[in-house]
Amino acid sequence: MSAERLSLDGETLARLERLSVVAKTRIRGTMQGKRRSYQPGASLDFADYRLYTPGDDVRAIDWNVYGRSGKPFVKLFLDEQELPIRLWVDVSASMNTGGESSGGENKLVYAKRLAASVGYMALCGYDRVAAGVFGETVSASVPPMRGRGAAPRLFRFLAEAEPERTGHLYRSLSAPGALPRQPGMTWVFSDFLYESGVRETLNVLQAAKQDVVVVQVLSPEELRPALSGDLRLVDVETGEGKEVAMSAKVLGAYRDALDAYTESLRRFCRERNMAYALASTDAPALDWIASALRGAGVLQ
């Protein structure tokens, strides 16, 4: 039922199973998985040599190299490890908008579906997936889970997450309890319409040795507003209003400001080797995932 609430039917899930999440760096996990880590292990993929030390398995000595060099070298192989993935969904009031007049969807509903899709792909790849939602603080989270059988638990958590009145990105995701304790991959699904704290938050996540993926979710109303006349615009989080005489000039200035902001966020991510993708809620989610996230280099 939770999958249906997220509009993830059987056909959609089957298509998602053919995709996989890609980490930009090798991750050292804690359990066996399908990822290549720098930790020497027992896979068949050769990594390097090192000199034999007492206690090593003598069967790992490369006798051909010993015959040429006179020194006992031990073969090292790449270990297969899980990829720890954390999904964060912004449930602040600004996310609970959109879809009223443009044919797009509510941003929060759309972000939940994207997060659930990424989580399902990771679970099918036997990675370890944790998820959380945040507003003013981290309001709810679900501990790490593995395997396809955990998908209903993830879907239920996301489907039941309720919107909050306000949001504070930095206070939420930079809190000690929210930061991952080991290297991994962190996805943040948000509109990122914060006055401050966005870059600081992303820097903190990267400093925690995370491959950071920024998914900026915006509605068609925000990207291409079709407003006119004398209006009173109200901030959904503060409740403050402002009288605006909406004209072509005002709309043009708004579009320029939004384009400048999204481009600066994209540039910031690119310069720091973070992945960035802009999602408009009028795009079919699965089609957007297959194209935009592949283009961002985080899916294959």
Side-chain angles (χ1 to χ4, degrees):
M1 181 64 69
S2 296
E4 294 174 0
R5 289 173 61 183
L6 295 168
S7 299
L8 297 175
D9 57 22
E11 181 181 351
T12 299
L13 294 178
R15 290 180 61 186
L16 290 171
E17 289 175 18
R18 296 194 287 270
L19 300 171
S20 60
V21 179
V22 178
K24 293 184 177 180
T25 58
R26 289 174 178 157
I27 304 298
R28 178 172 180 170
T30 59
M31 300 179 68
Q32 286 297 109
K34 296 183 179 181
R35 306 285 170 176
R36 295 292 187 257
S37 78
Y38 287 120
Q39 179 183 9
S43 76
L44 297 179
D45 293 337
F46 172 74
D48 203 353
Y49 286 105
R50 67 166 172 78
L51 281 171
Y52 172 86
T53 58
D56 288 338
D57 188 344
V58 295
R59 293 173 297 180
I61 295 175
D62 190 319
W63 296 107
N64 290 326
V65 173
Y66 177 77
R68 294 194 299 271
S69 67
K71 296 180 180 180
F73 281 90
V74 174
K75 286 183 175 181
L76 300 179
F77 297 89
L78 288 175
D79 198 5
E80 291 185 333
Q81 297 286 353
E82 64 184 358
L83 173 63
I85 293 177
R86 187 176 295 264
L87 309 170
W88 287 114
V89 177
D90 185 349
V91 295
S92 59
S94 69
M95 287 290 289
N96 192 31
T97 61
E100 294 90 354
S101 61
S102 64
E105 286 192 76
N106 175 279
K107 291 192 295 183
L108 180 54
V109 172
Y110 195 82
K112 287 180 178 182
R113 184 177 308 126
L114 295 182
S117 299
V118 171
Y120 184 72
M121 287 184 283
L123 290 172
C124 289
Y126 219 59
D127 291 321
R128 185 158 51 92
V129 178
V133 296
F134 66 92
E136 185 67 20
T137 60
V138 173
S139 54
S141 62
V142 61
M145 60 193 84
R146 300 177 86 236
R148 189 177 314 183
R153 183 183 175 196
L154 174 65
F155 296 162
R156 182 168 58 253
F157 168 77
L158 291 171
E160 295 176 354
E162 294 291 336
E164 297 189 9
R165 181 62 183 170
T166 59
H168 198 296
L169 184 69
Y170 183 77
R171 183 182 301 142
S172 298
L173 300 193
S174 66
L179 288 174
R181 296 183 178 180
Q182 65 181 106
M185 192 177 200
T186 293
W187 295 64
V188 185
F189 301 84
S190 171
D191 53 20
F192 292 95
L193 299 179
Y194 290 89
E195 291 186 5
S196 63
V198 172
R199 297 187 178 195
E200 293 83 354
T201 303
L202 299 179
N203 281 334
V204 166
L205 290 173
Q206 192 168 58
K209 300 181 179 179
Q210 299 299 295
D211 270 351
V212 181
V213 182
V214 172
V215 179
Q216 187 176 21
V217 180
L218 297 175
S219 68
E221 291 96 332
E222 291 167 326
L223 292 167
R224 302 176 298 276
L227 301 174
S228 62
D230 295 332
L231 303 173
R232 178 175 174 80
L233 303 181
V234 179
D235 188 310
V236 295
E237 296 193 5
T238 66
E240 296 179 356
K242 185 175 183 179
E243 304 293 337
V244 178
M246 197 63 65
S247 64
K249 182 178 180 180
V250 171
L251 286 176
Y254 165 83
R255 294 190 189 100
D256 289 344
L258 180 63
D259 289 345
Y261 176 70
T262 56
E263 179 56 34
S264 68
L265 180 57
R266 179 185 289 106
R267 187 184 312 113
F268 175 85
C269 293
R270 182 173 61 247
E271 290 171 351
R272 287 156 181 78
N273 200 32
M274 302 176 188
Y276 169 89
L278 172 62
S280 176
T281 64
D282 59 347
L286 189 56
D287 293 341
W288 181 88
I289 287 170
S291 59
L293 293 185
R294 272 180 169 164
V298 292
L299 288 188
Q300 66 179 13

